[in-house]
Amino acid sequence: MNYLQKQFDALLKYWPNEDQALRDVRLKSFDQFKTLGFPTKKWEEWQFTDFSAIEKTDYRLSWASDLPQIPDQIPGQIEDCHTVFIINGHYQPPLSDIPDGVTVVTGLDHFRSNPELYAINGSKNPFLALNTSMMNSGVHVLIKPNTLIEKPIQLIYFTTEFSDPLMNHPRFVFHIGKNAQANIIEHYLGVSTLSYFVNSVTQVILDENARLFHVRIQEEAATGSHTASTHYEVKSNAQLNVTSITSGTQLFRHDIQLNLQGKGAEAILNGLSLTDNSQHQDQHVVVNHENDACQSHQLFKYILADKSSGVFNGKVVVHKHTKQTDANQSNKNLLLSSTALMNANPQLEIYSEDVKCAHGSTTGQIDPEELFYLRSRGIDLKKASELIIGGFAKDILDSIKNENVKSYLNNKITNWLESVLNDG
Amino acid sequence: MAKHSQIIDSAISQEYKYGFVTDIDQETIPPGLNEDVISIISSKKNEPEWMLKWRLKAYRQWLKMEEPNWAKLNYPNIDYQAISYYAAPKPKEKLKSLDEVDPELLETYNKLGIPLEEQKLLANVAVDAVFDSVSVTTTFKEELKKHGVIFCPFSEAVQNHPDLIKKYLGSVVPTTDNYFAALNSAVFSDGSFVYIPSGVRCPMELSTYFRINAANTGQFERTLIIAEAGSYVSYLEGCTAPMRDENQLHAAVVELVAHKDSQIKYSTVQNWYPGNPKTGKGGIYNFVTKRGTCLEENAKISWTQVETGSAITWKYPSCILKGDHSVGEFYSVALSNNFQQADTGTKMIHLGKNTRSTIISKGISAGKGQNTYRGGVKIMKGAENARNYSQCDSILIGDQCSAHTFPYIDVRNSSAQMEHEASTSRIGEDQLFYCNQRGIPMEDAVSMIVNGFCKDVFKELPMEFAVEAQKLMEVSLEGAVG
C-alpha cells in the first residue's frame, strides 16, 4: 500500500501540468482505492484469489526512461494485421500502422472529449479505481461510423527488459461507430525474469448496428501479475464477438462486464484459460440484459495442469421489464492433474418473465475410455491425450473468422499442450 | 377462479380463531434472552446438568456471532430480545364436531385430499373413540418397540437415552455452525429423536405416525435421527394443510447420522403462513439448518422438500459424504408466490472415495415472489472418483417475480466428475395454448404444467404425500395467473 502512495505522488509530480479535471478524477479514484484496499478472502466476489503478492511487492511506475532498445523482432505479431505497439507502457507511433477510418488518440485528448467514461461511479472493484488513479498508458481507438476495416488491428502491449519491478495501468477505449465493423486484437505479452504488474482497463463501445470481433490474448511472462477489467457497452442491433485466451502470469484476474443496452443487441463471449505450475487464473463475468430481444452466449473453458488453480464466476442478470431474452452460459473444466483445483460459480439473476436462460458447468478429467479407444488403434498415450485435449480446447476458436488469428491461436494451444504433456 | 382464490385467501389470511388461551394456565417466560432464561428453559424441562451446560456454551458462542446477511432476502431486523423463548404447549378448546369448523377451511382440506379423521385432528375437533389418537399411537408404539426403534420427543430422549444424545447431539451441526443453529442450540424447545438399531428396516413410514401425533413442538425444533449399520428409515415432517403459528421466527436444526450400509430418507412438506398476500405483512421466517452425515461406507441420505409456505425460507439441507461409496440426494420444489422469498438449496461435501450425489431443484416464482437456488458442491482431495449431478430449473409466472441460481462448485480432485445444469424460463405460451385449445381452463393448464415440471421431485415423496403435494401446488398457485 505504501509504495502505491509513493508512486501516486511521483505520478502527480511527473505530470504537473495535467488538466485539473483529470487530476480531480485521479485524486478521487485514489481515495476510492484507499477506502476499498486490496481484496481480502472475506469479499464474496474475490474470495478465491490471494492478492498479497501484489500488495507486498514494491512496484514502480514505468517512466520514459524505462523504454528499452526496441528489439528487432517483437514476438506475438500476427500476419497481415495493422499493428500498434506499446512497449513497457509507451506507445510507439513510428512503428505502428493505423489504417484509414481509424483514429488513435492519446489519453489526455480522449479524456477531454469523453470525461464521463472515466467516472468510476462508486465501483467496488479496487483495481478499476487504482487504474483510474494512475492510468499512464494505453490508446483510444475510434472506428469511424460506416467504415469496414478488413484487416485486424493488433495492439501489442509488450513488457520487457527493465531493471526493477515495474507496474503499468493501461487504459484502452475501443469505440466502434454506427454501422462500422472491425476486428481488434488486444494482445498482452511479456518476457522477463523480474516480477511486474499490469493492471489494465478496457472499455469497448459498440454503437447502433456496429460489429466487432474482439480477441484478447494474455501471454504475460510467468513472473508477471495481470489484473484487468473489460467493460462492453452494446447498443441496439450491434453484434459483439469476444474470444479471450489466457495462458500467462502467476496471478490473473479478469472482470468482464457486458451491458446489452440496445434492443436486439447480441454478444458471444468465449474464453479459454490454460494453466500449469502454480498459476492462478480468476475470471468473473457479468452479463446485463438491459433491453428487449438481446442475446448472449458464453462459453468458458479451463484446462488446468500441475498445481494450478482456476476460478470462474459468471453471472447473467436479466433486468426488469425486458422481453424476449435469450441467454446461455456454459463453463467446462478439464483437470489434468490430481493437484489442480477448480472453483466454478455460474449464476443466473432473473427479474423478468419472458426469458430463455440456461447455464451449465462441468468439471472432470480425460475420459479413460476415450484414451483407450485411441490407444487400441495404435496411437500412443501422449498423442492421444493431445488429440483429446486439443479437441476440447479448440472449439473456442470456432467463432474467430480471421484465418491468421485462428492459426496463431491454434499453434499457441498446440505448443502449450506439448510443453505440459512433456513435463508430465 | 376469482371466487376460489378469494375463498382460499380468506381461509389463509383470517385470524386463527379456533382456540384461546387462559392466562392462568400459560407458562411463558417474559420476552428476552439471557443465561437465566436458558436456565429456566432447562429446569422446566427437568434437564440434567450437562444439557444445561451445552445450551449455555451455545448461547455464549451465539453472542459472539453475527447474523448472516449473504442470502438474497429482505426482511426487517429481528429483535431477539423481543421474543419469548419458552411457552408451554397451549391448550386449545376442542370443538364438538366438524360442523363447527369454518366451511372454507374444510374446503381447503378437501382440496388437499386430507382424510376426514385427519381433518378433525387438524381442525382441533375432538376425535371419536374408534379413531382415538391415543389408541392408534399405542398400536404404533408397540410395533416400533418390537423392532427396537426409539421414536420419542427430544426432551424424553434426554431423560431416557442420555448416552445417545451425548454422543450424537451437535456432532453433525456443531453449536458454532451458524447464527441460527447456535440460537437453536441454546433455546431449543423440543423435537423428535429417532434411533434405528442395526439391521432394522423401520416397519412404517414415520410420517404416518407423525401426522397423527403431530405435537406442538414450538418454534425452535430440534431433530436427531440415528440409523445404525444396515438400517433404513423414512421420516416425514410437516403437513400439507395450512399451518398457522403466532411465532414469527422459526429456527430449527435437524441432524442425521447414517452408519455403514444404512439409509435415511427425510421428507419435508412446509406450508407455514406466508404472510398477507396483498401486503406481504406477517408470515413466518423460517431459518433452518439441516445436515446429514454418511459416517461410514455405503450409507445413503436423501432429502426431499416441498416448500410452499413461509414469508422467508432460509434452508440448505446438506450431506457430508464421509464414508466411501456413500450417496447423497437432494430433491426440492420451492414455490414463492405473492411476497414470499425463498433462498434455499443444498450442500454436498464429498470426502470419501466413490461418493455420489444428485441434486434436483425446481423453483417456481409467481406474483412478486423471489426464488433463489443456492447450492454448494465440494469435492475434496481424497474423494477419488466422486460424482455429482445437479439440475436446477426455474419457472417464472408473471412479470414481477424473479428467479436466481447460485451454485458454488469447488473441485479439488481430478478424478471427480461434476455436472451442473440450470435453466430458467416462463411457461410457454404454446404449451398453454395447446391445453386451452383442448378445453382445459387456464388455471388447470398452469397447474398441470407446473406439476409436470415438479414430477421428478414429487415421485420421491412417500406416496400419499405425493398426491397431496400436487394438490398443494394447485392451491398455492391459485390466483397466480389471470
Side-chain angles (χ1 to χ4, degrees):
Chain A
M1 208 65 171
N2 269 338
Y3 76 88
L4 287 169
Q5 182 71 53
K6 233 187 277 169
Q7 292 300 312
F8 184 65
D9 294 343
L11 177 116
L12 295 183
K13 227 164 106 192
Y14 193 77
W15 283 311
N17 303 322
E18 262 185 346
D19 271 25
Q20 193 53 45
L22 177 56
R23 186 136 292 206
D24 288 345
V25 168
R26 286 191 192 277
L27 287 165
K28 217 175 127 197
S29 306
F30 197 66
D31 279 345
Q32 168 82 342
F33 173 74
K34 280 195 288 192
T35 324
L36 291 167
F38 277 99
T40 68
K41 298 240 168 234
K42 288 198 174 148
W43 297 21
E44 170 80 12
E45 301 290 328
W46 302 79
Q47 55 181 331
F48 298 111
T49 304
D50 178 8
F51 294 94
S52 58
I54 297 179
E55 203 175 343
K56 282 185 203 135
T57 316
D58 202 354
Y59 294 109
R60 152 177 95 65
L61 283 165
S62 167
W63 310 113
S65 56
D66 291 303
L67 180 64
Q69 185 84 38
I70 307 291
D72 294 338
Q73 185 56 44
I74 295 174
Q77 291 184 55
I78 297 171
E79 257 178 71
D80 207 22
C81 288
H82 302 289
T83 320
V84 174
F85 292 97
I86 301 164
I87 297 170
N88 283 5
H90 306 282
Y91 173 41
Q92 304 298 311
L95 293 178
S96 305
D97 156 32
I98 295 157
D100 289 344
V102 179
T103 334
V104 175
V105 293
T106 64
L108 188 58
D109 285 344
H110 189 265
F111 177 82
R112 280 193 186 125
S113 53
N114 302 279
E116 74 287 348
L117 260 186
Y118 295 84
I120 51 173
N121 295 333
S123 158
K124 290 276 182 289
N125 181 341
F127 293 104
L128 174 63
L130 187 62
N131 175 286
T132 313
S133 65
M134 297 210 199
M135 47 191 174
N136 63 344
S137 64
V139 290
H140 311 274
V141 180
L142 171 72
I143 314 286
K144 288 180 185 143
N146 306 313
T147 34
L148 189 153
I149 312 297
E150 283 292 342
K151 286 200 270 176
I153 301 166
Q154 187 187 14
L155 300 160
I156 295 188
Y157 197 97
F158 187 44
T159 310
T160 188
E161 287 184 53
F162 44 86
S163 51
D164 42 345
L166 275 194
M167 68 173 167
N168 270 311
H169 302 272
R171 187 84 166 207
F172 290 99
V173 177
F174 307 143
H175 191 148
I176 319 299
K178 202 171 166 181
N179 303 324
Q181 183 179 331
N183 197 332
I184 297 177
I185 303 159
E186 188 186 347
H187 195 161
Y188 295 89
L189 271 166
V191 177
S192 169
T193 48
L194 271 178
S195 165
Y196 67 97
F197 172 35
V198 175
N199 174 31
S200 73
V201 171
T202 307
Q203 285 163 290
V204 182
I205 301 150
L206 274 75
D207 283 343
E208 286 83 16
N209 239 346
R211 199 163 182 213
L212 172 69
F213 291 88
H214 181 202
V215 179
R216 192 184 197 280
I217 309 168
Q218 187 268 101
E219 293 182 280
E220 302 279 11
T223 49
S225 295
H226 188 122
T227 54
S229 308
T230 306
H231 191 118
Y232 298 97
E233 275 175 32
V234 188
K235 305 275 163 61
S236 64
N237 296 319
Q239 291 180 358
L240 172 69
N241 188 326
V242 182
T243 309
S244 167
I245 311 279
T246 80
S247 66
T249 70
Q250 182 60 35
L251 173 70
F252 176 64
R253 160 83 186 202
H254 192 188
D255 283 272
I256 301 173
Q257 190 179 340
L258 166 65
N259 295 347
L260 296 166
Q261 297 178 331
K263 198 171 172 181
E266 275 181 46
I268 295 173
L269 271 178
N270 288 339
L272 174 67
S273 186
L274 307 168
T275 62
D276 61 353
N277 298 319
S278 57
Q279 280 183 292
H280 178 80
Q281 301 204 341
D282 179 347
Q283 298 186 93
H284 278 232
V285 184
V286 178
V287 175
N288 284 306
H289 280 257
E290 297 173 4
N291 213 321
D292 297 348
C294 292
Q295 287 186 30
S296 69
H297 305 278
Q298 298 175 54
L299 173 61
F300 278 82
K301 289 191 172 182
Y302 284 70
I303 303 175
L304 304 129
D306 306 330
K307 281 185 183 153
S308 64
S309 49
V311 179
F312 174 76
N313 194 316
K315 189 191 272 183
V316 175
V317 184
V318 179
H319 290 231
K320 267 199 173 126
H321 311 302
T322 55
K323 291 191 179 67
Q324 298 173 324
T325 297
D326 183 359
N328 61 53
Q329 177 192 53
S330 176
N331 165 238
K332 295 183 176 171
N333 313 307
L334 189 60
L335 301 177
L336 300 183
S337 89
S338 59
T339 42
L341 194 151
M342 183 68 209
N343 268 296
N345 187 7
Q347 313 174 20
L348 295 175
E349 267 187 53
I350 294 164
Y351 298 93
S352 171
E353 165 197 39
D354 190 358
V355 295
K356 204 172 93 189
C357 293
H359 72 193
S361 175
T362 58
T363 302
Q365 60 180 349
I366 302 180
D367 187 345
E369 284 189 22
E370 287 173 14
L371 272 182
F372 177 76
Y373 178 89
L374 291 171
R375 293 181 76 184
S376 68
R377 274 146 186 84
I379 298 167
D380 68 40
L381 181 62
K382 198 185 139 214
K383 186 74 198 161
S385 311
E386 220 177 287
L387 278 171
I388 294 168
I389 306 169
F392 174 81
K394 284 173 184 168
D395 67 349
I396 285 289
L397 307 181
D398 280 352
S399 67
I400 297 178
K401 295 280 180 296
N402 186 288
E403 286 306 319
N404 293 325
V405 178
K406 208 177 205 169
S407 88
Y408 177 85
L409 291 172
N410 219 333
N411 288 338
K412 172 166 177 55
I413 295 170
T414 312
N415 292 340
W416 182 84
L417 260 182
E418 258 175 29
S419 78
V420 165
L421 292 174
N422 281 338
D423 288 352
Chain B
M1 176 223 88
K3 188 167 174 266
H4 272 310
S5 64
Q6 271 168 16
I7 292 168
I8 302 295
D9 283 353
S10 58
I12 290 172
S13 59
Q14 63 188 270
E15 291 306 308
Y16 196 78
K17 54 185 181 190
Y18 307 113
F20 63 88
V21 179
T22 45
D23 284 339
I24 313 141
D25 292 342
Q26 195 174 24
E27 281 191 280
T28 306
I29 303 175
L33 184 56
N34 53 46
E35 298 204 358
D36 291 343
V37 169
I38 292 166
S39 305
I40 297 170
I41 295 173
S42 190
S43 70
K44 286 221 188 249
K45 295 187 160 295
N46 204 10
E47 280 174 355
E49 181 77 22
W50 56 266
M51 195 68 242
L52 174 64
K53 272 190 186 153
W54 194 81
R55 281 176 184 271
L56 288 173
K57 202 176 133 213
Y59 172 70
R60 283 168 201 147
Q61 279 154 343
W62 178 75
L63 284 178
K64 288 183 219 143
M65 295 165 100
E66 270 177 45
E67 194 175 333
N69 58 4
W70 40 260
K72 219 173 167 53
L73 301 169
N74 286 314
Y75 55 91
N77 280 341
I78 299 168
D79 182 358
Y80 294 91
Q81 295 302 333
I83 297 169
S84 168
Y85 288 87
Y86 183 83
K90 296 169 187 171
K92 285 173 188 164
E93 196 194 26
K94 295 272 177 196
L95 302 172
K96 285 193 195 72
S97 80
L98 272 179
D99 300 338
E100 290 176 35
V101 177
D102 189 328
E104 283 159 4
L105 193 67
L106 287 181
E107 195 178 333
T108 311
Y109 289 158
N110 284 330
K111 280 191 181 179
L112 292 170
I114 297 170
L116 196 67
E117 294 304 332
E118 278 186 41
Q119 287 187 17
K120 288 187 183 170
L121 274 161
L122 291 166
N124 198 28
V125 173
V127 278
D128 58 49
V130 185
F131 198 81
D132 182 318
S133 65
V134 177
S135 63
V136 174
T137 312
T138 322
T139 336
F140 282 169
K141 270 204 170 135
E142 269 168 20
E143 177 74 13
L144 288 174
K145 206 172 162 190
K146 211 167 72 194
H147 289 86
V149 174
I150 304 170
F151 180 38
C152 63
F154 202 91
S155 47
E156 230 174 279
V158 172
Q159 308 294 338
N160 302 339
H161 310 282
D163 295 346
L164 286 172
I165 299 281
K166 267 191 211 164
K167 186 171 171 194
Y168 290 107
L169 183 65
S171 70
V172 187
V173 181
T175 50
T176 47
D177 191 76
N178 67 64
Y179 190 78
F180 298 109
L183 178 65
N184 174 289
S185 305
V187 301
F188 69 85
S189 34
D190 210 334
S192 311
F193 174 78
V194 179
Y195 176 83
I196 315 288
S198 82
V200 170
R201 189 180 167 89
C202 187
M204 64 189 77
E205 300 257 4
L206 287 183
S207 53
T208 325
Y209 178 96
F210 190 85
R211 281 243 302 217
I212 290 173
N213 211 27
N216 181 7
T217 42
Q219 53 181 353
F220 299 101
E221 209 174 321
R222 184 106 199 172
T223 305
L224 175 59
I225 301 179
I226 301 148
E228 285 288 0
S231 64
Y232 169 89
V233 61
S234 164
Y235 183 93
L236 186 133
E237 67 164 354
C239 188
T240 49
M243 294 292 269
R244 298 282 313 230
D245 191 318
E246 57 271 41
N247 298 314
Q248 201 174 26
L249 175 71
H250 279 237
V253 172
V254 176
E255 295 178 281
L256 309 183
V257 182
H259 286 279
K260 195 178 171 190
D261 300 323
S262 67
Q263 188 180 340
I264 302 177
K265 188 174 162 68
Y266 194 103
S267 317
T268 308
V269 175
Q270 185 261 110
N271 190 19
W272 296 102
Y273 180 51
N276 186 312
K278 295 220 174 55
T279 60
K281 282 236 166 70
I284 304 289
Y285 295 174
N286 198 18
F287 295 96
V288 189
T289 308
K290 291 187 171 181
R291 193 174 305 150
T293 171
C294 292
L295 269 185
E296 287 145 39
E297 55 261 55
N298 288 325
K300 178 175 173 184
I301 288 178
S302 170
W303 297 100
T304 309
Q305 61 172 26
V306 176
E307 301 278 331
T308 58
S310 293
I312 305 272
T313 306
W314 180 98
K315 183 178 173 189
Y316 315 91
S318 314
C319 295
I320 299 168
L321 304 170
K322 204 166 163 193
D324 295 348
H325 314 285
S326 57
V327 179
E329 287 174 352
F330 175 75
Y331 300 95
S332 163
V333 167
L335 174 127
S336 42
N337 197 353
N338 300 321
F339 286 87
Q340 283 175 273
Q341 302 175 54
D343 194 305
T344 182
T346 182
K347 229 177 180 178
M348 294 288 174
I349 298 160
H350 292 256
L351 298 170
K353 293 188 183 82
N354 299 317
T355 45
R356 282 175 292 143
S357 63
T358 308
I359 300 170
I360 309 277
S361 165
K362 307 278 180 182
I364 300 143
S365 317
K368 290 196 170 79
Q370 180 170 303
N371 206 319
T372 305
Y373 168 81
R374 187 184 300 277
V377 176
K378 259 199 174 145
I379 294 175
M380 306 308 277
K381 271 215 162 63
E384 291 290 325
N385 297 317
R387 182 88 176 77
N388 164 269
Y389 174 77
S390 317
Q391 188 188 340
C392 314
D393 297 322
S394 308
I395 271 195
L396 297 156
I397 303 169
D399 57 1
Q400 289 187 307
C401 54
S402 56
H404 315 298
T405 318
F406 304 120
Y408 290 73
I409 300 157
D410 184 356
V411 181
R412 292 161 192 261
N413 187 306
S414 68
S415 64
Q417 256 197 65
M418 134 79 236
E419 287 169 75
H420 169 91
E421 277 186 290
S423 72
T424 306
S425 62
R426 64 170 169 177
I427 297 182
E429 270 168 27
D430 40 353
Q431 289 172 327
L432 287 175
F433 177 72
Y434 181 90
C435 295
N436 288 167
Q437 190 202 24
R438 275 152 186 77
I440 300 166
M442 196 57 125
E443 195 116 308
D444 291 355
V446 168
S447 76
M448 205 160 102
I449 292 165
V450 169
N451 273 318
F453 174 75
C454 302
K455 201 158 191 129
D456 289 346
V457 175
F458 286 163
K459 73 176 197 309
E460 299 296 326
L461 282 172
M463 202 203 18
E464 66 269 37
F465 283 96
V467 178
E468 282 182 27
Q470 280 199 25
K471 299 223 171 93
L472 178 62
M473 289 313 272
E474 279 165 34
V475 173
S476 306
L477 273 173
E478 266 177 44
V481 274

